[in-house]
Amino acid sequence: AFDLGLADFEKPKLSFADVGGMDEVKDAIRMKIIHPLQHADLFRAYNKKVGGGVLLYGPPGCGKTLLSKATAGEIKANFIALGLHQILDMWIGNSEKNMHEVFELARQHAPCILFFDEVDALAADRRDLRQSAGRNLINQFLSEMDGAQSDNDGVLILGATNAPWHIDPAFRRPGRFDRTLFVPPPDQPARAAIAEVMAKNRPIGELDPIALAKKTEGFSGADLKAVFDLATESVLEEAMKSGKVVPLNTKDLIKAAGRHKPTTKAW
Ligand code: ATP
């Protein structure tokens, strides 16, 4: 990944296998994004519309960014991510020009996923954010998304938000964010699947993913990552004493889970 000043740009190696759970969301993304790109002629033959954007919503830390990156990896596309601060920075100065350049960059690097994190920063249905400069930036965004001046062939737009009800309906029109997908907090089987993903790159003795999932009610994917990190730190301490790799076991993870406070509240 290298920093373009405005946006992060990379070609992710991740795939859906690196995202635990979310089977329904993955299927919806396959239908809306992956298949239309891979079978463009077939979709055209059935006059099935392709393009438009997908809005992912759900509680923080439950994998919206990870899933977007993995989607890029699945189709070997480039990935450009823009966060809240980068969007807000655009307010000041050359906002429309910057927005245009981000879309141009994506067009030049198609197939490309353009990911807007915290898209509500831009699309919030709030008057104070919609004055003068903000208004122009919003209009520029919508016209870029419509492909008003340049074709968006091979540019796939994903947005993420924790507050979809704040999104201005103008952003939801056909050809814009016309599909909304809920990325839920992981249920027990999903937490077990996430634990298996996280175990892949670490020395594991024995792992009982279901037992861990049972002890992590209300934990997000990000919380589970914190649990793995905490448990890793404690076995690393032991490992440093002995100078040998000490594998992680279910009990280490359950102990770490007891020390971590989950962030996800009821959704
Ligand atoms: P936010 O709304 O705060 O931007 P988000 O929904 O985009 O959050 P991510 O940034 O994708 O969440 O997730 C944070 C981290 O948690 C990921 O980098 C990953 O390590 C872990 N994680 C979350 N969900 C999953 C999952 N389903 N499978 C594997 N890891 C996950």
Side-chain angles (χ1 to χ4, degrees):
F2 56 95
D3 189 6
L4 289 164
L6 269 177
D8 289 327
F9 184 101
E10 63 179 302
K11 188 152 195 173
K13 289 193 185 65
L14 293 173
S15 75
F16 278 173
D18 299 300
V19 183
M22 287 199 215
D23 295 335
E24 280 172 36
V25 186
K26 286 176 186 168
D27 276 346
I29 288 189
R30 280 190 193 98
M31 203 53 202
K32 169 84 184 173
I33 292 184
I34 299 181
H35 295 159
L37 194 77
Q38 288 173 337
H39 308 284
D41 293 346
L42 273 180
F43 274 67
R44 228 171 279 132
Y46 286 89
N47 203 11
K48 181 118 174 66
K49 221 182 74 44
V50 299
V54 175
L55 187 65
L56 303 172
Y57 78 99
C62 291
K64 297 182 289 298
T65 308
L66 183 71
L67 182 70
S68 303
K69 235 182 231 191
T71 303
E74 284 282 324
I75 50 181
K76 300 188 174 46
N78 290 304
F79 182 77
I80 299 176
L82 235 74
L84 170 74
H85 295 291
Q86 286 144 325
I87 295 172
L88 290 179
D89 282 350
M90 286 189 184
W91 240 269
I92 317 151
N94 299 322
S95 63
E96 296 110 273
K97 191 167 158 281
N98 290 348
M99 186 58 87
H100 178 66
E101 272 169 17
V102 169
F103 274 84
E104 277 300 304
L105 190 72
R107 289 173 190 127
Q108 283 154 15
H109 292 85
C112 184
I113 288 193
L114 188 47
F115 175 70
F116 290 90
D117 199 4
E118 300 180 80
V119 76
D120 39 304
L122 186 68
D125 191 10
R126 276 165 45 194
R127 302 232 171 265
D128 54 324
L129 283 177
R130 316 199 64 201
Q131 307 294 331
S132 54
R135 182 76 257 171
N136 293 342
L137 181 59
I138 290 166
N139 288 337
Q140 183 71 33
F141 177 83
L142 294 176
S143 108
E144 295 292 343
M145 207 167 174
D146 292 343
Q149 290 121 28
S150 333
D151 208 304
N152 283 336
D153 246 3
V155 177
L156 307 156
I157 297 155
L158 292 178
T161 179
N162 308 125
W165 39 85
H166 286 152
I167 304 277
D168 179 336
F171 282 75
R172 307 278 200 107
R173 291 208 193 115
R176 297 178 179 168
F177 289 113
D178 48 19
R179 186 81 199 256
T180 305
L181 298 177
F182 179 47
V183 177
D187 59 11
Q188 192 178 295
R191 291 195 301 279
I194 294 172
E196 284 182 288
V197 168
M198 290 183 178
K200 273 197 289 195
N201 301 318
R202 304 174 208 244
I204 300 287
E206 63 73 36
L207 175 68
D208 182 345
I210 309 224
L212 179 62
K214 282 187 178 152
K215 294 280 186 192
T216 48
E217 187 68 46
F219 280 51
S220 68
D223 288 325
L224 288 170
K225 172 141 194 318
V227 167
F228 271 80
D229 288 344
L230 267 176
T232 301
E233 276 165 32
S234 56
V235 291
L236 252 177
E237 268 172 40
E238 274 180 63
M240 286 187 291
K241 276 182 214 146
S242 66
K244 280 199 279 258
V245 172
V246 178
L248 266 175
N249 291 305
T250 310
K251 68 165 177 29
D252 305 309
L253 292 160
I254 288 178
K255 202 166 141 203
R259 288 163 55 205
H260 179 79
K261 239 181 142 168
T263 46
T264 309
K265 302 196 187 72
W267 254 70

